[in-house]
Amino acid sequence: MVRRRSGGGRVTQADVARLAGVSQTVVSMVLNGTGITQHRVGDDTRRRVLDAIERTGYVANPIAQRLAGGNSALVGVYTYEPVFPSSAGDFYQPFLEGVEREAQQRGVDLVLFTSMSAHHGGPLVDGGALHRLRVADGCVLLGRHSHAQDLVALASQDFPYAFVGRRAAPGVTVPFAGADYDEATAVVTRQLLELGHRRIGMVSVTPPHESIEDRVRGYRRAMRAAGQLPVTFEDPDLTSGEFFGTLAEHGMTAVLTVSDLAHDVYSAALARGLRVPEDLSIARLGDPEQREPSVVDWAGFTIPRIEMGAEALRIVLRQLSASDPHGDEPDQDLQAFIPCETFTGSTIAAPPTATTRSTTKETSHT
Amino acid sequence: MVRRRSGGGRVTQADVARLAGVSQTVVSMVLNGTGITQHRVGDDTRRRVLDAIERTGYVANPIAQRLAGGNSALVGVYTYEPVFPSSAGDFYQPFLEGVEREAQQRGVDLVLFTSMSAHHGGPLVDGGALHRLRVADGCVLLGRHSHAQDLVALASQDFPYAFVGRRAAPGVTVPFAGADYDEATAVVTRQLLELGHRRIGMVSVTPPHESIEDRVRGYRRAMRAAGQLPVTFEDPDLTSGEFFGTLAEHGMTAVLTVSDLAHDVYSAALARGLRVPEDLSIARLGDPEQREPSVVDWAGFTIPRIEMGAEALRIVLRQLSASDPHGDEPDQDLQAFIPCETFTGSTIAAPPTATTRSTTKETSHT
DNA sequence: CTGAAAGCGCTTACAG
DNA sequence: CTGAAAGCGCTTACAG
């Protein structure tokens, strides 16, 4: 390897150009795919340049590339909380696994915006944080929370980004890679309906979040399609007898529950002397972070976290390549819904009355 | 907020300067601590500049800063394997937690070099990978492996870096934040000696690694100081009776074991009908990744992973600030040994013979 | 097909 | 105390 400069100095395009006997511009053209196409550097010249690159061990300076208007192959990752403490890490880990896998495949490096995580869940727009994102070519954002102000600020920036998980704000199109909670919840609801359940409740939480809204919508859609009345319980008090009392009053034989409350609903049901699924079917709408495997064999669906992360990065990269041939970006490519996998676990079964009745009927026929 | 440019265009120093009625240089000086000291911008001018910055919401472009020779507040993190798959993640997580915590405190962002992790444990020098590190101001490196070629290549680069875990290669001073395995192992060895053990073995693994060497050195030091002969077993075959046979032959009543083999040694001992610690004391030299809590109450020490990560980042940052006032960097600041915490668990006790003998003696005296 | 030139947004000598 | 200028290493029109 011929090193043009000693010490820490890197080899530059100028060095390569000198060695190849061409101008620095040509070196840049040989390196950039678009330039090649447009300017068609001669085969002979290209060979000389390539050879010089080989001999010098030249590697482009991403910083300079970026400043000059090109891409640095640096994609940001903004998390609303620190990533690595295992507490929060358990939440971020699978998403980031997807982002990382995709980043590696696409040959980009990731910038973790740790410096501004001080907010700890607060909105990103506070401070000059938003500007800092531009160190990278684009940015993947993730967190449990959803700050409308960030969505609006980001949308007015002309900077490629994508959320992991659906985000929405009035008047703006927010790019995201979300899970198809709507459809998954509908599928699970239909499963219960097919098992014979008619009155099916849904346990939800406040404050409202896009991911919760999606589940509620899917639930309502499936219930209405079956001619049943959807009934949602928000943040029910599971310790008092009220919740299960209401369930009984309405003759509900099954409940869907958001994942955060699944365990509590299950335990509370057992504590009330209810057998699951004999007396009450419970389906879990999403799996929690996979640290300690649940002893319960849940029916419901899982969240495609890894794929969500990977797709979010792809959406950012897509915007990057789309902005080259300055056309109007098709919005539909900016939003992706990844399907969830549904499971028929052992927490759901045919409703007690239906079973009794059908059994009775069949018996009488025999 | 007065935005000089609309759309995605950022506010630049030139914009601020125009608004403040000064030159762009002055804006830069006001912003840079060193410039202020040297050039002493007038109080009145500074106020006008600061005011303009406030009004425009100006935030420095780190890319330009870096290209111009300044620092970008971007520190790289190179891991020899992908970070986020939970398999490898369990190894990296605590170290990175420390790096992240420190990064947040110091206001720097982290660049994860995912693009070149394709090597999967292989040396970093392959390909132009090493050059790519320069996107950041400096870099923290971590991984299970130790590649001498990387150490040499890095050392000749004049680029700030630090390893998590001690690294050494002939002829070069490698900056690192390591655990003081040497001293910790010596302490544990002394504990056993004080309990009455004389013949103490050490179980180790190949290939040699700095962290293993340190433990062996500490063990040997403590043994020699006590006038005992150190005996190490490398990759012993625990399934055949050989290992425990040799232990018995030499009259060994205690063994130290590197953490990776701790569980195997323990199980194998039990399988041989040995009681721990009654028949054999076993001390573990370091705790494995903390995922599933061990049922065994191990004696030995823990690895200060979080602190190691934090210190590694500090070492990088120290080199950064040291390179400003171009003096010779004192090497001693580049290498840190973090103390380990030792535990007296229930896997060690006084040796069987010693107990018997002392009991006998005392009884005879009564 | 190839080169000279401008410019990205900064920092840092170097002059006033 | 302040400004004009060069330069960091690239990309990308713009001329030949």
Side-chain angles (χ1 to χ4, degrees):
Chain A
M1 282 212 330
V2 180
R3 293 315 238 36
R4 304 255 62 203
R5 297 149 167 240
S6 61
R10 314 172 37 130
V11 181
T12 71
Q13 283 189 354
D15 296 323
V16 174
R18 211 169 302 137
L19 204 100
V22 297
S23 78
Q24 185 246 79
T25 305
V26 174
V27 177
S28 178
M29 307 247 112
V30 170
L31 258 15
N32 294 291
T34 58
I36 297 178
T37 329
Q38 290 165 357
H39 289 77
R40 301 221 352 88
V41 177
D43 273 3
D44 194 60
T45 312
R46 157 166 309 112
R47 241 189 297 280
R48 282 216 310 284
V49 171
L50 256 17
D51 182 58
I53 288 176
E54 178 84 42
R55 293 202 292 160
T56 53
Y58 169 80
V59 174
N61 179 342
I63 292 293
Q65 284 182 300
R66 178 109 188 99
L67 186 60
N71 287 148
S72 60
L74 241 33
V75 174
V77 174
Y78 180 80
T79 58
Y80 279 82
E81 296 155 282
V83 189
F84 290 110
S86 54
S87 51
D90 288 353
F91 172 76
Y92 290 112
Q93 188 271 324
F95 296 117
L96 293 176
E97 180 174 342
V99 174
E100 184 183 35
R101 196 194 63 194
E102 198 66 22
Q104 179 176 324
Q105 243 169 60
R106 307 304 196 92
V108 305
D109 292 317
L110 263 17
V111 179
L112 248 46
F113 291 105
T114 43
S115 68
M116 36 206 212
S117 302
H119 305 290
H120 276 280
L124 171 58
V125 290
D126 294 357
L130 215 55
H131 297 271
R132 176 73 182 168
L133 295 184
R134 288 182 179 273
V135 192
D137 297 338
C139 190
V140 169
L141 297 103
L142 30 29
R144 307 175 139 90
H145 312 287
S146 176
H147 298 288
Q149 36 191 327
D150 285 353
L151 304 182
V152 174
L154 244 10
S156 68
Q157 285 275 322
D158 182 36
F159 174 74
Y161 68 98
F163 273 88
V164 174
R166 184 172 79 83
R167 290 301 128 95
V172 294
T173 302
V174 182
F176 64 79
D180 197 350
Y181 296 126
D182 183 317
E183 178 58 19
T185 304
V187 168
V188 172
T189 307
R190 274 181 231 124
Q191 275 176 6
L192 288 167
L193 288 165
E194 276 159 24
L195 280 171
H197 295 273
R198 289 297 166 261
R199 306 290 175 89
I200 305 170
M202 169 158 176
V203 177
S204 157
V205 288
T206 54
H209 187 282
E210 287 87 343
S211 65
I212 303 289
E213 289 170 5
D214 291 354
R215 282 171 241 232
V216 171
R217 196 179 328 105
Y219 159 68
R220 291 195 173 138
R221 189 159 54 86
M223 288 295 274
R224 293 213 179 98
Q228 295 301 130
L229 190 70
V231 180
T232 68
F233 301 87
E234 290 193 339
D235 307 310
D237 181 1
L238 299 167
T239 53
S240 83
E242 206 188 323
F243 171 68
F244 291 103
T246 313
L247 241 47
E249 271 173 38
H250 288 65
M252 291 189 180
T253 53
V255 290
L256 306 173
T257 167
V258 295
S259 50
D260 284 350
L261 256 39
H263 183 73
D264 291 349
V265 171
Y266 183 82
S267 313
L270 295 192
R272 298 288 301 177
L274 292 170
R275 290 168 306 161
V276 179
E278 292 81 357
D279 300 321
L280 181 69
S281 286
I282 309 181
R284 190 175 65 176
L285 304 175
D287 53 323
E289 294 92 76
Q290 301 287 20
R291 273 316 175 179
E292 20 202 287
S294 170
V295 280
V296 182
D297 174 30
W298 282 102
F301 63 79
T302 58
I303 303 171
R305 295 188 170 89
I306 298 183
E307 273 314 313
M308 289 167 74
E311 181 62 24
L313 185 68
R314 266 179 243 127
I315 291 175
V316 170
L317 260 25
R318 220 178 281 150
Q319 295 173 66
L320 246 28
S321 54
S323 63
D324 280 340
H326 40 285
D328 301 77
E329 300 155 24
D331 279 356
Q332 60 272 27
D333 282 357
L334 298 181
Q335 304 189 331
F337 286 105
I338 320 283
C340 304
E341 198 178 348
T342 56
F343 287 95
T344 318
S346 53
T347 57
I348 66 173
T353 49
T355 309
T356 312
R357 233 181 292 157
S358 74
T359 308
T360 314
K361 274 186 188 170
E362 281 177 27
T363 310
S364 64
H365 277 286
T366 309
Chain B
M1 285 220 322
V2 181
R3 295 312 240 40
R4 305 258 59 204
R5 297 148 167 240
S6 60
R10 314 172 37 130
V11 181
T12 71
Q13 283 189 353
D15 296 323
V16 175
R18 211 169 301 137
L19 204 99
V22 296
S23 79
Q24 186 246 78
T25 305
V26 174
V27 178
S28 178
M29 307 247 109
V30 170
L31 258 17
N32 294 291
T34 58
I36 298 179
T37 330
Q38 290 166 356
H39 289 77
R40 299 222 355 89
V41 178
D43 274 1
D44 195 60
T45 312
R46 157 166 310 112
R47 242 187 298 279
R48 282 216 310 285
V49 172
L50 256 17
D51 182 59
I53 288 176
E54 178 85 44
R55 293 201 292 161
T56 53
Y58 169 80
V59 174
N61 179 342
I63 293 293
Q65 284 183 300
R66 177 111 189 95
L67 187 60
N71 286 147
S72 60
L74 240 33
V75 174
V77 174
Y78 180 80
T79 58
Y80 279 82
E81 296 155 282
V83 189
F84 290 112
S86 54
S87 50
D90 289 352
F91 171 75
Y92 290 112
Q93 188 272 323
F95 296 116
L96 292 176
E97 179 174 344
V99 174
E100 184 183 36
R101 196 194 63 194
E102 198 66 20
Q104 180 176 323
Q105 245 169 59
R106 306 305 195 91
V108 304
D109 292 318
L110 262 17
V111 178
L112 248 45
F113 291 105
T114 43
S115 68
M116 35 206 212
S117 302
H119 305 290
H120 276 282
L124 170 57
V125 290
D126 293 359
L130 214 55
H131 297 271
R132 176 73 183 168
L133 295 184
R134 288 182 180 272
V135 191
D137 297 337
C139 189
V140 168
L141 298 103
L142 28 32
R144 305 176 141 91
H145 312 287
S146 176
H147 299 288
Q149 36 192 326
D150 286 353
L151 305 182
V152 174
L154 245 10
S156 69
Q157 285 275 321
D158 183 36
F159 174 75
Y161 69 98
F163 273 87
V164 174
R166 183 172 80 83
R167 289 300 128 96
V172 295
T173 302
V174 182
F176 64 78
D180 197 349
Y181 296 125
D182 183 317
E183 178 58 18
T185 304
V187 168
V188 172
T189 307
R190 275 181 230 125
Q191 275 177 5
L192 288 167
L193 288 165
E194 277 158 25
L195 280 170
H197 296 273
R198 289 299 165 259
R199 306 290 175 88
I200 305 169
M202 168 158 177
V203 177
S204 157
V205 288
T206 54
H209 187 283
E210 287 86 342
S211 64
I212 303 289
E213 289 169 4
D214 291 354
R215 283 170 239 230
V216 172
R217 197 181 325 106
Y219 159 67
R220 292 194 171 140
R221 189 159 53 86
M223 288 294 273
R224 293 213 178 97
Q228 294 301 133
L229 189 72
V231 180
T232 67
F233 301 86
E234 292 193 338
D235 307 310
D237 180 1
L238 299 166
T239 52
S240 82
E242 206 188 322
F243 172 67
F244 291 103
T246 313
L247 241 47
E249 271 172 38
H250 288 64
M252 292 189 179
T253 52
V255 290
L256 306 173
T257 167
V258 295
S259 50
D260 285 350
L261 256 37
H263 183 72
D264 291 349
V265 171
Y266 183 82
S267 312
L270 294 191
R272 297 288 301 177
L274 292 171
R275 293 167 304 161
V276 178
E278 292 82 356
D279 300 322
L280 180 70
S281 286
I282 309 181
R284 190 176 65 176
L285 304 175
D287 54 322
E289 294 94 76
Q290 301 286 20
R291 274 315 175 179
E292 20 201 287
S294 169
V295 281
V296 181
D297 174 30
W298 281 102
F301 62 81
T302 57
I303 303 172
R305 297 187 170 87
I306 298 184
E307 274 314 313
M308 289 167 73
E311 180 62 23
L313 186 67
R314 267 180 244 127
I315 292 174
V316 170
L317 260 26
R318 220 178 281 149
Q319 294 173 66
L320 247 28
S321 53
S323 63
D324 280 340
H326 40 284
D328 300 78
E329 300 155 23
D331 279 356
Q332 60 271 28
D333 283 357
L334 297 181
Q335 305 188 330
F337 286 105
I338 320 283
C340 304
E341 199 177 349
T342 57
F343 287 96
T344 317
S346 54
T347 56
I348 66 173
T353 49
T355 309
T356 313
R357 232 181 293 155
S358 74
T359 310
T360 315
K361 272 186 189 168
E362 279 176 29
T363 312
S364 65
H365 276 286
T366 311

